[in-house]
Amino acid sequence: MSGFILGIDIGGTGSRVALASFEATAEPAPPCTLTGPGVSIGAEGSNAPQQIRRLVSAAREAWPESFESIRGVGIGATGIASLSTDVGEFARSVATETKAETAVAIDAVAAHLGALSGRGGAVTVLGTGAIAIAHPGPDAHGVLPPMWTRTDGWGHLFGDRGGGAWIGRHALEAALKCHDDVDLSGTALLEAARERFGEPTTWPATFYTRSDRAGQLAAFAVDVAGLAREGDPVSTALLAEAGREAARSAIAAGSQGADAHSLIALTGGLRQAGETLVEAFRAEVLRLNAEAVVVDPAGDPLDGALTLARLVAEERVRPQPGVLWT
């Protein structure tokens, strides 16, 4: 089948849409991509559906001739399950708009498909938030059955253990302990936080009144990673604990599905925080399951969204309430 596929990746701090050829070749051409803003969360929930529609419109405008030949659309979006309503109906509306088979999934599904190239296993995604997801892989017919299992992804107030907002929040707690003369080990973090956010007395108003506070907290994780590279012990310890939290979530997600824990990967933007986090993840996985195979991610969530688009175009993916809709 000729034509094109459209992949959309919506995260907490940014979004991307990619157009790629539907035809699988030994050396496929790199996809054409566009970028946009990330998800924000307010009193009415997530604006992911609006962001997705904007990206679809941008793709139509950027690639008008190719857009008419789209065979499948794959969408991975942060917060789409718990903070948006009637996702199945939304998926059908996108399918009507694009005249293509459409699958909408939580962001972790796209990350899993990108990291493991459609193979079975467990993946922890560390970005602004954190979630782990596992799947045993395609069945004998090459179809992905509704067997996704997840751990965490509860948002920055209740969970997202090891994610960017989690790191930022714990780093600011350490900074405030230093400010309050409770624990002076967070001196470097306090200085970095002052440079980014101003005086500590302004932080409550800065964060508590914002709809994008998770993204603001995650932005501070960049400073934490920089301090860790400079040898700050508190920052280094925070990154190591984030890696261990990510490993615990991956093992827990994998243990819920048959043979889903054989391959385990860490993916997401926070992987770039440094080897301290990555090595702590690997060590904790192997401590918890000596038979696990820890692999580097083969691709990112946008690659996974394109894989999802190809699968739905070929009718090789099945919906699962709360995780994936077609």
Side-chain angles (χ1 to χ4, degrees):
M1 184 186 295
S2 61
F4 297 89
I5 50 176
L6 195 71
I8 295 176
D9 169 41
I10 304 280
T13 54
S15 58
R16 299 175 295 168
V17 56
L19 181 80
S21 172
F22 179 83
E23 298 174 345
T25 62
E27 295 184 5
C32 304
T33 61
L34 300 171
T35 61
V39 167
S40 63
I41 299 169
E44 298 181 356
S46 168
N47 71 341
Q50 294 90 333
Q51 296 290 57
I52 291 167
R53 292 192 185 283
R54 292 189 189 103
L55 288 171
V56 169
S57 297
R60 177 186 287 107
E61 183 176 342
W63 311 302
E65 295 182 4
S66 302
F67 197 89
E68 298 302 317
S69 300
I70 291 176
R71 305 296 182 225
V73 180
I75 301 168
T78 295
I80 196 73
S82 59
L83 297 171
S84 301
T85 59
D86 204 353
V87 185
E89 179 59 32
F90 174 70
R92 289 186 287 274
S93 70
V94 174
T96 299
E97 183 177 354
T98 59
K99 299 178 182 179
E101 297 294 325
T102 299
V104 179
I106 62 174
D107 54 341
V109 167
H112 187 288
L113 293 173
L116 297 183
S117 300
R119 296 175 296 173
V123 172
T124 296
V125 190
L126 293 187
T128 299
I131 186 171
I133 193 160
H135 193 280
D139 63 18
H141 304 287
V143 174
L144 286 181
M147 297 177 66
W148 296 97
T149 57
R150 56 168 279 188
T151 299
D152 204 359
W154 298 120
H156 68 285
L157 292 179
F158 304 131
D160 286 356
R161 299 177 295 271
W166 183 94
I167 291 174
R169 177 168 60 84
H170 282 80
L172 288 178
E173 288 178 4
L176 287 173
K177 284 183 179 179
C178 179
H179 176 266
D180 290 341
D181 291 331
V182 172
D183 183 349
L184 299 183
S185 64
T187 299
L189 286 169
L190 177 59
E191 293 176 358
R194 275 196 173 113
E195 185 173 344
R196 181 177 284 271
F197 301 119
E199 286 302 310
T201 53
T202 68
W203 296 355
T206 297
F207 288 97
Y208 295 157
T209 61
R210 296 184 67 131
S211 63
D212 63 341
R213 58 179 171 268
Q216 291 295 309
L217 289 168
F220 191 48
V222 176
D223 299 330
V224 177
L227 289 172
R229 286 190 289 271
E230 294 172 6
D232 176 56
V234 178
S235 298
T236 300
L238 268 176
L239 290 185
E241 184 58 22
R244 288 189 288 269
E245 289 283 9
R248 294 165 195 146
S249 293
I251 292 292
S255 68
Q256 299 177 48
D259 300 323
H261 62 286
S262 56
L263 293 179
I264 295 183
L266 176 67
T267 189
L270 201 58
R271 184 183 169 90
Q272 307 305 315
E275 285 302 309
T276 295
L277 189 152
V278 175
E279 286 305 313
F281 173 84
R282 182 184 300 274
E284 185 70 359
V285 165
L286 295 177
R287 185 186 73 82
L288 295 171
N289 180 1
E291 296 182 358
V293 179
V294 182
V295 298
D296 291 331
D300 66 13
L302 187 58
D303 296 314
L306 288 170
T307 297
L308 182 61
R310 190 181 305 280
L311 288 169
V312 74
E314 296 172 342
E315 299 182 347
R316 293 197 294 121
V317 62
R318 299 292 179 264
Q320 180 175 331
V323 178
L324 195 159
W325 302 259
T326 59

